[in-house]
Amino acid sequence: MARQTKKQKALAELDSEKLWSVDEAIATLREHGSKKFDETVEIALNLGVDPRHADQMVRGMVALPSGTGKDVKVAVFAKGDNADKAKAAGADKVGAEDLMEDMQAGNLDYDRVIATPDMMGIVGRLGKVLGPKGLMPNPKLGTVTPNVEQAVKDAKGGQVEFRVEKAGIVHSGIGKLSFSDEDLKKNFEAFTGAIVKAKPSGAKGKFVKKVSLTTTMGPGLKIDTANIEGA
């Protein structure tokens, strides 16, 4: 039998059924964090919804007040003044037909795709390319907008998209382990608050069933849902 490392032994000693406060969880994740790289702190919520029904879909955007700690790559479909504004705001790629052709060729290394309304005729041709990757611009998410300058700044500044998966799970990164405890807690509260506000009309019974925090290589810790206002 392979011998356990000190880290593996320490992780095995954690109570898998314990419900942690957010402060305790962050401190414990930090204690067991990697010394070799800056791990992402990730949240997962198990919701009381069945997203196969339209009235139980949970989807939206939330601005994390402390940012994500990640360099977000943004592509923008725009022309003229809007293209200039998008570039000035920090967009990584701006274009129209040329950008469409580039994406059709397989160049899709972006975290967010934004478009002005007049560009949707072009963007619509990319439905089969962008849709499966969750990159299709959507007016409900603010990624189809005449104000591309603000949309780019929001994306670069810590705005993240959330969408419930088939099993009723929503997950996202909410920062880096190098963030202060206060900044991670602010992001936790902003993300969970946005989920609660996005509760769909078709949700019945307890909405937030389970919450967990983990890091890229760390343990998964169950969070007491009493920590979430409105859950």
Side-chain angles (χ1 to χ4, degrees), residues 200-211:
S201 60
K204 306 298 181 184
K206 188 170 178 59
F207 180 50
V208 180
K209 291 184 174 181
K210 297 178 182 178
V211 182

Side-chain angles (χ1 to χ4, degrees), residues 147-174:
N147 191 355
V148 290
E149 181 179 16
Q150 189 60 51
V152 172
K153 288 179 179 179
D154 288 342
K156 291 283 188 177
Q159 187 185 62
V160 296
E161 179 182 353
F162 57 85
R163 182 173 184 172
V164 66
E165 298 176 352
K166 290 181 180 179
I169 305 293
V170 174
H171 64 84
S172 177
I174 57 168

Side-chain angles (χ1 to χ4, degrees), residues 4-203:
Q4 285 187 317
T5 64
K6 289 183 178 180
K7 183 174 181 179
Q8 288 173 329
K9 288 180 180 178
L11 293 178
E13 290 173 359
L14 291 174
D15 184 353
S16 61
E17 297 304 317
K18 177 179 177 177
L19 294 178
W20 303 73
S21 71
V22 179
D23 292 329
E24 288 178 323
I26 291 172
T28 301
L29 291 173
R30 199 180 296 286
E31 179 184 347
H32 293 280
S34 171
K35 302 296 187 292
K36 296 182 179 180
F37 71 100
D38 192 9
E39 296 182 71
T40 297
V41 178
E42 301 173 4
I43 187 171
L45 297 92
N46 187 341
L47 305 179
V49 297
D50 182 349
R52 291 176 298 179
H53 301 287
D55 66 347
Q56 294 187 48
M57 173 54 68
V58 179
R59 186 179 186 185
M61 290 281 195
V62 56
L64 299 181
S66 306
T68 63
K70 177 183 177 182
D71 182 20
V72 179
K73 292 191 68 175
V74 179
V76 178
F77 284 90
K79 287 183 176 181
D81 289 345
N82 282 324
D84 293 338
K85 290 177 181 178
K87 291 175 184 176
D92 297 276
K93 186 81 172 180
V94 180
E97 287 87 353
D98 56 331
L99 181 54
M100 176 191 71
E101 293 170 359
D102 192 50
M103 289 184 174
Q104 287 175 330
N107 296 317
L108 296 165
D109 186 24
Y110 301 106
D111 300 295
R112 186 79 53 83
V113 177
I114 297 166
T116 55
D118 59 307
M119 289 286 99
M120 288 310 293
I122 293 172
V123 178
R125 303 179 214 171
L126 293 167
K128 292 183 179 179
V129 177
L130 298 178
K133 292 185 173 291
L135 292 173
M136 191 67 182
N138 185 325
K140 293 181 179 179
L141 298 176
T143 47
V144 177
T145 173
N147 191 355
V148 290
E149 181 179 16
Q150 189 60 51
V152 172
K153 288 179 179 179
D154 288 342
K156 291 283 188 177
Q159 187 185 62
V160 296
E161 179 182 353
F162 57 85
R163 182 173 184 172
V164 66
E165 298 176 352
K166 290 181 180 179
I169 305 293
V170 174
H171 64 84
S172 177
I174 57 168
K176 295 288 186 177
L177 207 52
S178 59
F179 284 20
S180 69
D181 290 4
E182 181 181 359
D183 283 344
L184 286 172
K185 189 171 183 178
K186 284 181 180 177
N187 281 356
F188 174 93
E189 290 172 346
F191 190 85
T192 54
I195 296 296
V196 171
K197 287 180 182 178
K199 181 179 179 179
S201 60

